Amino acid sequence: VSTQSTGTMKYLLLTLLVLWFYVQVNAAPKPNILFVHVDSMDGRLALPGSPALLPNLNKLMNRGVQFVNTYSPSPECVPSRSALWSGRRTDQTGAWNNGQGLPLDYPISMIKTKASGYDIKFIGRRDFNSKGDGYDPNKKNFGGDFPDTVSDSHTLSANLSAWLRSVPGLNLPQTAHQVAFVHNNQIKEYHTLDWNRSTDCVEFLKLRANNSRPFFLSCGFLCPHPTYETTDYWYQNGVDATKITLPVWKNNVDSHPVQRYESDTKNFTYWPGVNYTDQDILAIRHTYYAMVAEADAIVGRVLDALDATGLVDNTCLLYTSDAADEEDS
């Protein structure tokens, strides 16, 4: 489990290298590898005192090792994932923003893992390759459930914002005013895309229970990525509201230029006729924590299947996030 004391999660390069070395020197039997990754979860939420209630991650941490000084190589999603899968920094890969991931033919860790005798399966989120020569929208490498490249919306917004950055003082908002949506119902499986992905992961584990060949399974989930949206079930049952606090906010005069730019372009300081109240901010944070709690339950379904199939005794499990959100940011 990767956590982060300064606001983001991971950089598992060292962990993956150690695991790869372990696989090489312990050729028989090779352990299965289950890599579970969520999007935009702050690692500090897995530490004591978190407003989000995370029974499954707590159980996992009690059975494993926490990496509390790890970090993300980039605050943006695609560059962070590109570094994770390639084992190289952003300045080495050239994957600078959400519109520019790894080239389609870039060597990633899965190539070496497959060469070591592993069956590879991707389920859910990947989003680290750029479209380019040889792009096929129907191609799904390594058993993925959708094309491998970054989304069109990522590409358009990232490239447009990169162009706007070259104009001094033109810090126009890229996104709509951030609000929280809490739906008045008791639906537990609200983020259905990720729940369906967890079901696919469970079915894969069941099929592999009596297979002697080692596997690498990547389970990628979008939750708790914005937009901040949840149901009364998670808002009421997934969060300890007494632990929700207002973030420390620096005004634009005192903050770092990059923070000022992010505040403007992420639409936290500029919106005609709209100002954030303390209640607005607390509601957004409450909703985010509720989404983290739902992500915990989604991951818990996979962890339960690992135990139920007996695969847990010969499986190395890694859990992380690409970057962080919300916590004191």
Side-chain angles (χ1 to χ4, degrees), residues 40-264:
S40 303
M41 177 179 169
D42 190 313
R44 292 171 297 180
L45 295 179
L47 298 175
S50 166
L53 303 180
L54 311 174
N56 295 290
L57 287 186
N58 288 334
K59 181 171 67 174
L60 178 61
M61 288 187 293
N62 289 335
R63 299 168 68 177
V65 177
Q66 301 176 52
F67 295 84
V68 297
N69 293 314
T70 52
Y71 64 95
S72 173
S74 173
E76 289 196 292
C77 305
V78 173
S80 178
R81 286 192 289 269
S82 298
L84 171 64
W85 291 109
S86 68
R88 298 179 180 179
R89 301 187 309 270
T90 300
D91 62 301
Q92 296 173 313
T93 64
W96 292 109
N97 62 32
N98 282 341
Q100 181 61 47
L102 298 174
L104 289 172
D105 58 352
Y106 202 93
I108 61 173
S109 56
M110 290 304 91
I111 296 174
K112 290 184 177 179
T113 306
K114 187 173 184 179
S116 298
Y118 276 75
D119 294 333
I120 310 297
K121 178 69 173 180
F122 275 88
I123 295 177
R125 195 156 173 77
R126 292 185 60 184
D127 208 23
F128 60 80
N129 283 124
S130 289
K131 295 176 181 177
D133 294 338
Y135 169 67
D136 181 352
N138 298 311
K139 187 176 181 180
K140 302 175 182 179
N141 292 330
F142 298 118
D145 60 356
F146 63 94
D148 304 330
T149 58
V150 299
S151 64
D152 289 325
S153 59
H154 260 167
T155 303
L156 177 62
S157 62
N159 290 339
L160 179 61
S161 62
W163 176 76
L164 290 174
R165 286 191 187 100
S166 64
V167 182
L170 188 59
N171 293 354
L172 296 178
Q174 303 170 23
T175 57
H177 182 60
Q178 300 289 335
V179 295
F181 298 97
V182 181
H183 299 279
N184 185 25
N185 60 60
Q186 291 295 313
I187 294 176
K188 181 179 179 181
E189 298 185 9
Y190 179 71
H191 290 91
T192 54
L193 176 63
D194 280 341
W195 282 102
N196 291 339
R197 288 169 171 172
S198 71
T199 299
D200 291 341
C201 292
V202 169
E203 293 304 313
F204 176 86
L205 292 174
K206 290 179 179 178
L207 290 174
R208 300 297 302 210
N210 297 313
N211 192 318
S212 59
R213 284 181 56 83
F215 64 82
F216 180 105
L217 172 61
S218 169
C219 300
F221 302 113
L222 180 62
C223 197
H225 189 286
T227 303
Y228 305 121
E229 191 166 2
T230 190
T231 65
D232 278 338
Y233 177 89
W234 292 110
Y235 200 85
Q236 296 165 359
N237 302 311
V239 182
D240 183 348
T242 65
K243 295 180 179 179
I244 303 175
T245 60
L246 289 168
V248 177
W249 183 264
K250 292 183 179 180
N251 61 50
N252 272 7
V253 176
D254 298 328
S255 60
H256 189 280
V258 173
Q259 291 177 308
R260 292 200 297 270
Y261 178 84
E262 287 294 318
S263 294
D264 290 342

